[in-house]
Amino acid sequence: MNEELIHPFTFGDMSQKDLLGGKGANLAEMVRIGLPVPPGFTITTHACREYLRTGQMPSRLNDQIDAALKDLEMQSGKKFGGVDNPLLVSVRSGAKFSMPGMMETVLNVGMTPEVTESMAASSGNPRFAWDSYRRFIEMFGKIVCEISPDEFHKVQERITSSSSAENIQNADGESLKQLCDGFIKVITLATGREFPQDPREHLIRSIEAVFKSWNSERAQMYRRRERIPSDLGTAVNIQSMVFGNLSDDSGTGVAFTRNPSTGELGRYGDYLQKAQGEDVVAGIRTPISLDEFEQLSPVVAGELDSVMELLEAHYEDLCDIEFTIEKGKLWILQTRVGKRTAEAAFRIALQFVDEGRISMDEALRRVSGDQLAMLMFPQFDTSGPLHEIARGIAASPGAAVGEAVFDSKRAFDLSKSGKRVILVRRETSPDDLVGMVASQGILTSRGGKTSHAAVVARGMGKTAVCGTDAISVDERANLFTVGVTTVYEGDLISIDGTTGAVYLGDVPVVASSVTSYLEGRLSATSDEAAPIVKAVDRILVYADSKRKLRVRTNADTPEDAIRARILGAEGVGLCRTEHMFLGPRRSYVERLVLAENDDVQHSVIAEMEPLQRADFVGIMMAMSGLPVTIRLLDPPLHEFLPSLVVLSSEMARAEALHEEVSPRDRALFAAVNRLHESNPMLGLRGVRLGILIPELYKMQVRALVHAFLEVRKLGHDPRPEVMIPLVATQRELLYLRQTLEEEIAKTFKGSGIRYEIPIGSMIETPRAAITADRSGVYSDFFSFGTNDLTQLTWAFSRDDVESTFLPRYIDLELLPFNPFESLDEAGVGILLRTAVDLARGLRSDFKLGVCGEHGGDPRSIHFFNSLGLDYVSCSPFRVPIARLESGRASVIT
């Protein structure tokens, strides 16, 4: 096989992310448009996939690396492994999809003690040379040799404490040389072998470490969260080093072409003088802003502004840029389309529309339902007394309250036990991802707007306050101090990622301005409306104009129906009538089951009818002029009756103590024992209950007709539909439909009103899906109950698997995601597609919808749109999200 596994940065462009990874493709693009990029080459994702498959570096890769290094030496006039004028390189990961901080980087590869001495002499700056070597040894030890960072911190503390330096940044060349010796001893002791001195071995092992990092725990967790496929692999970028730690007119930074937190116009970013790139991202030092950098170096700042303008115009999007300045010379190390908060996504998309750079369709593609959901989260109520103890950099907006926790693993464990936690660290590293995911928010004492904590939090939609210099974090003692206040682990704190404020205690929250707008309590045109409200309004109105899917709601009460209609629902797609008999009304179902004979049973049903009628009146009035789909009773009996285990225990106890048992309790025990089912979800429920107790469903349609007449009399426009649950065969449907039609006609008789109430069925079983052409003859519409359909297709009991093996399956990537959260298109999706094709084969206008929880899931909505369904139905809160995603589905090809 003669496949090229390496390409120079002069090869390719930004469209080749599959081959070159995101970083490599963007480096090639920047070279193509003439930006100052340090030369280098990219090892393709194909090489990584081969390594992951075989566990060995591809045999042909070695020769290709040698050839690429020779080309790089010719370009730079330097020699890799040479002592005089040495070529040093960085080794960086670069997957197709951005995974900031999740994989590895090794800088200054090519350094040896001899090279360091030569650099110290040629630069006249021993501190710079030994600092660069120190960085390489530490990275090599942590990443390649997999040694705990704590081992290096111990050496660092010992060296700095024995010198006049307060920290590593103030250490002189001699102290740094001692530090290098100490680090090498740590590696030798940990690995049982001498520290290698061959630069080529350093390079090969660093490349292999980057390949391995694709499957690191944090990388896998990030991919699961972001739904990134696990089989893509990463490219590796080998780039000539430029040194931001060389001199006073050197430094490194990260710049965004617009504010990725708020979406405001203007440069945004951080700069560190005399530093290398990882210092900014790691948050080890608190940087200065780009405005301060302009005062420090106006000429280079002007050059950076020009690069930012060029890249933003070229990519037609917010750009995230890493740069280094070496002795006054600007170098661009990488760029990518920048991650941003939900607010920034909406505002920036519309800014680009108004600037004439993109269309409204493209603006709609650049926002998401998940982002809209984030904007609907509550905010702090600052009207009452507050105890603000510090203020840091507002790195990722939101309001987060929780117990202060100083260790990522502990944060994960506490969160899993149900506690709200705030992860507090001096600075975060990629190893903290597990705690960051589990926490309500992140608070750091160091770092800036582009630190690891800030970038990852923005990408995940987590609240973050960084660079809070006033607090002193002691991670060993599990506390932080600010002034005279000490906050211990377990103390409640509140952080505001919009203002940067840190409060002691639990600050109450209020609805966000976006939620107030969506619920009709704030007009988007009012003076009080924030820019984000106006942006959401504009995009949501446009999404409504583009979408083909209608959006209904799942509502069981008039209050839910009213709320959903305000939020934009176009009817009720699922009214679960069994939910009307939970709580105080539960006794009706219990009495129905315990009925000794038909007369008693009919008496209980008669008592239920006026309750149903009143509920139906309220819901149809709230949805006047819009369809309301009433699902007939579908009560798994175990949800309404006492537990057989509990009752058996009580009966046994009573007998043992010779206590008297009431006739009612004996009757209840006998009934529960008689009706006990090993798997109630597959037992007497849905259509089966309606067939065995026909008076029950007849009562429901009578109540619905009476409610219809009452609502019509009040001047409203009721549009009810009846839906039969858990149908598996057309014979069930035909049998029950005839019974219901007769009862509906009988109830309408004498009213002087003729109205055809559509009768449809839920598709919840695989058999119903694959025989949809048969039941479709007797059904006016189908609604896919994807919750039960998923359970039955996978043979998963949702109540059980989500708390037992399903999380482990996802961890092992045996499942790419929870199929109850997003629809399994490859399995359940085939059943839906089959049913759609069969139904539309009967009637081209056969009405089809979805009423499971997937109806509000952004990813699933795109699949439903591709099937040509008529509507989705979801909870009231998710109606705006479904509206937005339905619009996006129409413009995304």
Side-chain angles (χ1 to χ4, degrees):
M1 182 183 285
N2 295 319
E3 177 190 8
E4 290 293 330
L5 297 177
I6 291 179
H7 295 287
F9 291 168
T10 52
F11 167 88
D13 56 38
M14 63 181 176
S15 70
Q16 294 177 277
K17 294 180 181 179
D18 283 324
L19 177 68
L20 303 175
K23 189 176 295 179
N26 287 326
L27 284 166
E29 187 71 17
M30 289 194 295
V31 169
R32 193 174 70 83
I33 63 176
L35 291 182
V37 174
F41 55 88
T42 297
I43 302 173
T44 68
T45 56
H46 293 176
C48 179
R49 288 197 292 271
E50 185 171 334
Y51 173 82
L52 295 174
R53 186 174 63 254
T54 65
Q56 296 181 333
M57 298 283 274
S59 57
R60 62 198 182 284
L61 184 59
N62 281 325
D63 290 342
Q64 292 188 31
I65 288 173
D66 289 341
L69 281 174
K70 285 183 180 178
D71 289 342
L72 197 53
E73 289 171 344
M74 291 181 63
Q75 288 182 65
S76 63
K78 300 177 180 180
K79 178 72 174 176
F80 185 74
V83 174
D84 298 321
N85 199 21
L87 171 64
L88 306 182
V89 298
S90 61
V91 180
R92 298 173 183 263
S93 63
K96 176 181 179 179
F97 298 105
S98 177
M99 296 170 57
M102 296 305 112
M103 291 181 289
E104 303 296 5
T105 292
V106 182
L107 302 181
N108 307 332
V109 177
M111 292 199 76
T112 61
E114 294 77 18
V115 167
T116 307
E117 294 284 7
S118 173
M119 289 172 60
S122 61
S123 66
N125 187 346
R127 187 196 183 285
F128 150 69
W130 289 107
D131 180 52
S132 299
Y133 191 37
R134 181 269 307 179
R135 291 170 185 269
F136 164 68
I137 300 169
E138 185 174 2
M139 284 184 166
F140 191 88
K142 290 190 294 187
I143 294 166
V144 178
C145 302
E146 300 179 357
I147 298 170
S148 169
D150 292 342
E151 298 302 316
F152 297 99
H153 292 164
K154 290 175 187 175
V155 176
Q156 185 172 307
E157 288 177 359
R158 187 177 71 248
I159 298 295
T160 54
S161 63
S162 64
S163 68
S164 59
E166 294 180 4
N167 52 51
I168 196 68
Q169 284 77 37
N170 297 324
D172 60 18
E174 186 56 37
S175 296
L176 289 169
K177 185 176 182 179
Q178 293 176 31
L179 194 57
C180 291
D181 292 338
F183 283 178
I184 287 175
K185 289 177 182 177
V186 165
I187 296 173
T188 300
L189 185 63
T191 62
R193 54 179 286 192
E194 291 296 318
F195 183 74
Q197 297 297 327
D198 178 8
R200 196 180 186 286
E201 180 182 348
H202 295 162
L203 178 62
I204 297 300
R205 292 180 65 185
S206 295
I207 293 168
E208 184 175 12
V210 173
F211 282 162
K212 283 183 180 178
S213 71
W214 173 257
N215 280 330
S216 67
E217 182 180 355
R218 63 176 184 260
Q220 291 183 62
M221 177 181 290
Y222 187 87
R223 289 200 299 274
R224 286 195 298 271
R225 181 183 176 88
E226 300 297 319
R227 304 265 180 103
I228 297 172
S230 61
D231 58 354
L232 297 178
T234 182
V236 180
N237 304 112
I238 312 298
Q239 189 169 35
S240 302
M241 285 297 306
V242 287
F243 295 96
N245 59 335
L246 178 57
S247 56
D248 288 339
D249 58 351
S250 301
T252 190
V254 177
F256 290 84
T257 55
R258 304 185 189 215
N259 189 320
S261 183
T262 65
E264 293 175 353
L265 294 170
R267 64 163 81 101
Y268 180 99
D270 295 323
Y271 177 76
L272 271 177
Q273 191 177 20
K274 294 183 75 173
Q276 285 198 314
E278 82 273 14
D279 293 342
V280 178
V281 177
I284 295 170
R285 291 161 54 193
T286 299
I288 63 175
S289 70
L290 293 186
D291 288 337
E292 294 172 290
F293 168 60
E294 184 179 29
Q295 301 300 315
L296 182 70
S297 184
V299 174
V300 182
E303 294 173 4
L304 179 61
D305 283 345
S306 297
V307 169
M308 291 167 68
E309 289 175 12
L310 174 61
L311 284 173
E312 186 177 86
H314 187 73
Y315 281 85
E316 296 183 334
D317 206 343
L318 163 74
C319 288
D320 170 357
I321 304 161
E322 290 185 22
F323 66 94
T324 287
I325 300 164
E326 182 182 84
K327 300 186 73 172
K329 164 69 175 174
L330 175 67
W331 294 95
I332 308 301
L333 305 187
Q334 74 158 312
T335 192
R336 59 191 170 202
V337 171
K339 292 190 177 294
R340 64 208 76 182
T341 65
E343 178 177 354
F346 277 81
R347 292 183 63 186
I348 290 172
L350 289 176
Q351 288 167 9
F352 276 83
V353 171
D354 294 339
E355 292 167 12
R357 301 189 187 197
I358 63 173
S359 65
M360 275 299 292
D361 278 5
E362 178 60 24
L364 186 53
R365 284 190 280 268
R366 291 188 181 185
V367 298
S368 72
D370 288 334
Q371 290 169 332
L372 179 56
M374 291 177 192
L375 293 172
M376 297 169 70
F377 291 160
Q379 301 170 340
F380 283 140
D381 180 2
T382 57
S383 60
L386 300 170
H387 186 182
E388 182 176 333
I389 56 174
R391 192 166 284 252
I393 296 169
S396 184
V401 180
E403 297 180 11
V405 179
F406 297 82
D407 175 80
S408 286
K409 179 63 167 60
R410 240 179 358 261
F412 174 79
D413 292 339
L414 288 169
S415 173
K416 202 170 182 180
S417 70
K419 292 191 175 183
R420 297 178 301 166
V421 299
I422 303 291
L423 181 63
V424 183
R425 305 284 287 167
R426 279 193 290 267
E427 68 271 339
T428 64
S429 74
D431 292 329
D432 287 311
L433 183 67
V434 64
M436 297 173 76
V437 170
S439 301
Q440 302 294 309
I442 299 105
L443 171 65
T444 68
S445 60
R446 300 176 182 168
K449 304 169 204 169
T450 58
S451 64
H452 175 267
V455 172
V456 173
R458 281 197 295 270
M460 294 192 300
K462 294 279 185 182
T463 299
V465 175
C466 299
T468 316
D469 295 333
I471 72 173
S472 176
V473 178
D474 188 334
E475 293 169 353
R476 292 182 179 175
N478 296 325
L479 59 83
F480 73 79
T481 56
V482 51
V484 297
T485 301
T486 300
V487 174
Y488 297 94
E489 179 149 315
D491 290 347
L492 272 178
I493 59 173
S494 303
I495 61 172
D496 189 334
T498 305
T499 65
V502 181
Y503 303 100
L504 196 60
D506 187 346
V507 177
V509 295
V510 294
S512 73
S513 59
V514 170
T515 300
S516 296
Y517 148 70
L518 291 170
E519 293 182 345
R521 291 179 279 111
L522 175 66
S523 169
T525 59
S526 68
D527 293 338
E528 294 80 19
I532 183 55
V533 170
K534 298 178 187 293
V536 168
D537 173 71
R538 188 172 162 192
I539 286 183
L540 203 50
V541 167
Y542 187 75
D544 284 336
S545 74
K546 300 295 289 187
R547 62 187 169 90
K548 299 169 186 174
L549 279 171
R550 300 298 93 195
V551 177
R552 299 192 192 181
T553 190
N554 301 339
D556 311 322
T557 67
E559 294 75 21
D560 281 348
I562 291 168
R563 183 180 301 110
R565 183 157 191 168
I566 291 170
L567 290 168
E570 297 160 299
V572 173
L574 176 64
C575 176
R576 295 158 289 202
T577 54
E578 66 276 4
H579 285 194
M580 297 171 176
F581 291 97
L582 291 171
R585 296 182 181 180
R586 182 186 297 268
S587 62
Y588 287 97
V589 178
E590 184 179 301
R591 288 168 56 208
L592 188 68
V593 171
L594 294 175
E596 299 170 358
N597 53 53
D598 288 348
D599 289 340
V600 175
Q601 192 178 77
H602 291 173
S603 174
V604 176
I605 290 172
E607 291 180 47
M608 297 169 71
E609 185 170 339
L611 301 175
Q612 287 273 264
R613 177 176 175 174
D615 290 331
F616 294 157
V617 166
I619 291 173
M620 287 193 290
M621 286 183 66
M623 287 291 173
S624 179
L626 297 172
V628 173
T629 304
I630 303 295
R631 182 178 75 182
L632 301 179
L633 275 164
D634 182 21
L637 293 182
H638 71 291
E639 294 181 6
F640 289 85
L641 298 176
S643 163
L644 177 62
V645 173
V646 172
L647 286 178
S648 297
S649 176
E650 290 176 352
M651 293 295 288
R653 177 182 175 278
E655 288 181 12
L657 298 176
H658 304 291
E659 295 177 349
E660 186 177 351
V661 178
S662 68
R664 178 197 172 277
D665 287 347
R666 287 192 182 279
L668 181 60
F669 175 70
V672 171
N673 199 33
R674 172 171 49 86
L675 294 170
H676 174 71
E677 297 173 318
S678 298
N679 192 335
M681 297 304 290
L682 300 180
L684 180 57
R685 53 174 290 218
V687 64
R688 302 155 196 168
L689 189 67
I691 290 173
L692 292 189
I693 311 177
E695 195 59 34
L696 191 59
Y697 278 10
K698 288 162 70 174
M699 174 275 292
Q700 289 195 284
V701 295
R702 279 198 308 272
L704 182 60
V705 171
H706 286 306
F708 170 88
L709 294 172
E710 184 176 338
V711 173
R712 176 76 75 88
K713 188 175 181 180
L714 292 171
H716 295 279
D717 180 16
R719 299 185 183 182
E721 302 173 343
V722 171
M723 184 159 65
I724 303 172
L726 211 68
V727 172
T729 168
Q730 73 273 21
R731 294 187 181 188
E732 289 175 317
L733 183 57
L734 176 59
Y735 176 88
L736 201 52
R737 182 183 180 109
Q738 288 173 338
T739 302
L740 298 179
E741 285 180 329
E742 289 172 5
E743 194 65 29
I744 289 170
K746 186 191 304 182
T747 311
F748 266 124
K749 192 173 182 180
S751 68
I753 294 176
R754 292 180 60 84
Y755 186 85
E756 294 291 331
I757 297 180
I759 299 177
S761 63
M762 290 187 77
I763 303 291
E764 300 173 89
T765 69
R767 189 183 193 284
I770 62 178
T771 60
D773 54 335
R774 299 181 184 181
S775 56
V777 175
Y778 309 111
S779 191
D780 297 322
F781 63 88
F782 286 150
S783 182
F784 294 100
T786 54
N787 298 342
D788 274 347
L789 192 56
T790 297
Q791 290 197 94
L792 294 171
T793 302
W794 280 93
F796 283 172
S797 170
R798 179 176 185 175
D799 293 341
D800 298 322
V801 302
E802 289 192 318
S803 61
T804 54
F805 66 83
L806 189 57
R808 181 59 175 158
Y809 265 47
I810 293 172
D811 286 343
L812 294 172
E813 298 187 354
L814 300 177
L815 285 174
F817 53 83
N818 183 336
F820 294 106
E821 294 178 359
S822 290
L823 191 86
D824 162 33
E825 295 179 24
V828 179
I830 292 176
L831 292 174
L832 263 70
R833 189 178 297 280
T834 299
V836 168
D837 292 342
L838 292 173
R840 293 273 164 82
L842 289 174
R843 299 191 300 274
S844 61
D845 61 347
F846 201 112
K847 187 165 69 174
L848 301 166
V850 168
C851 61
E853 290 182 24
H854 297 104
D857 172 60
R859 294 171 181 85
S860 304
I861 287 170
H862 289 253
F863 179 68
F864 300 144
N865 184 77
S866 72
L867 293 180
L869 301 190
D870 295 294
Y871 67 88
V872 295
S873 189
C874 56
S875 66
F877 177 80
R878 299 198 72 82
V879 165
I881 297 162
R883 289 166 55 198
L884 179 68
E885 284 297 341
S886 296
R888 294 185 70 238
S890 294
V891 299
I892 293 176
T893 54

